[in-house]
Structure formats: C-alpha cells, structure tokens
Amino acid sequence: MLLIPAIDLQDGKCVRLRRGDMKDATVFSDDPVAVARQWQDMGAQRLHVVDLDGAIAGYPQHVRLISQIAEACPDLEIEVGGGIRDEDAIETYLDAGVRYVILGTKAVNAPHFVADVCLEFPGHIIVGLDAREGKVAIDGWSKLSQHDVVDMARKFERDGVAAIVFTDIGRDGMMDGVNIEATVKLCQAIATPVIASGGVTDLADIEAICHAADEGIEGVIIGRALYEKTLDLAEALAFVAARDA
C-alpha cells in the first residue's frame, strides 16, 4: 500500500482546495520544494503533484518548479497531473524527472489519445478519474461530463494505463473519510491498480483502506490531513510497514 503525499501548486505555492473549488484554496507553504523534501525524509516513496494553474489553462504552468522538486527529491517517484493534454507536455515532464503523468480532461474528451500515448510512453501513463455521483468531472473539476466512471476505467484499462487515480470530488479536501465503497466498486470492475484519493483524515482512514487493499487499491493520496496535522505521515507509513511485514 503506497501512501502518497500530495502537493497542489497554485501561483507557485503549495495549497489545498476544498471539493476542487479553485476559489477555496488554503496556502500551506511558499516553498513546495521544501515540502517535498519533508515527505521524502519521512519515508514516502511517491509524490502526487497537481498543477492547478495548468488544469485551468489547459497546458503546464509549473514545469520548472516540478523539475526542481524532482532534482531535490531523487528518492521520490513523482506523478504529475494538471493541464497535460499533448505528447510534448508528457515528454517534457518525463525528461524533467517525473515518473508518471496523469491525464484527466484530455483522456475523457479524446479517449483515443490515451491509447496512443500508452504505446508511445509505456508504463508512464496514469488516468485520473475525478467523480461526482458516479460521473466524471473535467476542466479542473469545473464541469461534469455524462461519462460513467466504471465504463471509462474499463476503456482505459484496455489502452494499457499503469494505474487509475480515483477521486471523489465531494470528499476531496473535506477530511470526511475516503469513499471506500465507490473505490472498491471500481477496483472490482477492472484489474488495473487503483489509487484512492479524497477525504483522508486520520490513521483510521488508512486502516480502513488497508483492509480493502486486496480488492486492488494500490495506494492512497493524502493531502489536507498532512498539512493540518490530523495524520502523521511517519506514523502512517510505520503502520503500513508493520501490516505488510
């Protein structure tokens, strides 16, 4: 079970949103590189980075900053999402030291694109399915599509994605607990690893996710709980290590 700290970038700062609302952002640090080093030093193996400005603009806005994070944190596998909508953006990030790129809006609006880039960049493509009431949201969560989450996940599995990040927007940044039922439902529908996201509050949530790990949950992304200190990353990593021993 991977515990994946999240860094959301807005105007060069580390922020957290509530329910994906760009106008409801809390700034937690002016130095995202230092924050990434902190999670690396605590023992994290992977880092989830979202370019919020890129998600709105439709193209990457923080390549240089993310490259600095990758250089400063060689022990972290970095996955990046937000505004990645063409092959050039993918290649730029991979050249900058990023391990995985996460496709969201582009994957939903142009599904053939996922198949193409999975062939071009095998093992590096993750699709993020951000859902509200079972439907996929796009454009920085500002619009709700008519696409069903499970149907889209099955399609992307056939394309060969490395994993799917599943976010319940209604819980993201709210610290209301992970929507394990919906996450498990998705896991049961596909064989591709699923990374849960949205709602982690404390160690009890980590325990609950671990209980569902056998259903296909590969990891969980943790955001606000780390920044508001309702969850200690080192403690959570120790719990997972003891459970997996």
Side-chain angles (χ1 to χ4, degrees):
M1 175 66 66
L2 286 171
L3 303 186
I4 310 172
I7 291 180
D8 289 0
L9 300 175
Q10 187 179 64
D11 298 327
K13 300 175 182 178
C14 177
V15 307
R16 296 303 299 170
L17 306 181
R18 294 184 188 273
R19 295 194 176 104
D21 186 351
M22 296 290 182
K23 297 178 181 178
D24 191 359
T26 304
V27 177
F28 283 100
S29 176
D30 293 331
D31 189 349
V33 176
V35 174
R37 282 200 195 98
Q38 177 185 359
W39 303 143
Q40 176 184 250
D41 292 346
M42 286 188 178
Q45 298 176 351
R46 190 182 296 188
L47 180 70
H48 180 81
V49 180
V50 179
D51 179 352
L52 295 174
D53 299 311
I56 296 301
Y59 56 92
Q61 299 286 294
H62 292 297
V63 173
R64 182 179 178 184
L65 178 53
I66 293 169
S67 177
Q68 290 172 346
I69 291 173
E71 184 176 356
C73 303
D75 294 336
L76 286 176
E77 286 187 337
I78 299 174
E79 57 184 42
V80 174
I84 302 173
R85 299 181 189 175
D86 58 40
E87 290 88 342
D88 287 344
I90 295 172
E91 191 165 12
T92 295
Y93 273 131
L94 296 180
D95 288 345
V98 169
R99 179 67 178 85
Y100 301 101
V101 294
I102 304 171
L103 306 179
T105 296
K106 179 73 173 188
V108 177
N109 289 342
H112 62 85
F113 177 73
V114 177
D116 292 343
V117 296
C118 281
L119 288 173
E120 189 173 355
F121 307 102
H124 293 283
I125 306 300
I126 292 175
V127 165
L129 292 178
D130 307 323
R132 183 182 286 119
E133 298 177 0
K135 300 299 182 182
V136 179
I138 57 174
D139 292 336
W141 298 356
S142 63
K143 300 176 184 176
L144 198 62
S145 75
Q146 295 304 307
H147 295 289
D148 180 81
V149 168
V150 171
D151 290 343
M152 294 298 291
R154 286 172 171 156
K155 190 271 176 195
F156 296 135
E157 177 170 65
R158 292 193 295 271
D159 292 336
V161 298
I164 288 175
V165 173
F166 175 68
T167 304
D168 182 340
I169 297 173
R171 302 201 186 196
D172 189 72
M174 300 307 295
M175 295 168 57
D176 288 337
V178 176
N179 190 338
I180 292 178
E181 181 180 357
T183 307
V184 168
K185 179 182 177 182
L186 179 60
C187 290
Q188 291 173 338
I190 60 176
T192 300
V194 173
I195 298 171
S197 176
V200 170
T201 306
D202 52 29
L203 192 59
D205 289 320
I206 302 301
E207 292 176 4
I209 293 165
C210 285
H211 286 312
D214 291 342
E215 297 288 352
I217 301 177
E218 179 182 63
V220 60
I221 295 167
I222 312 168
R224 185 175 289 271
L226 296 177
Y227 296 99
E228 295 196 353
K229 303 185 186 306
T230 62
L231 176 68
D232 181 271
L233 181 61
E235 181 184 6
L237 287 167
F239 170 82
V240 171
R243 180 186 179 278
D244 292 343

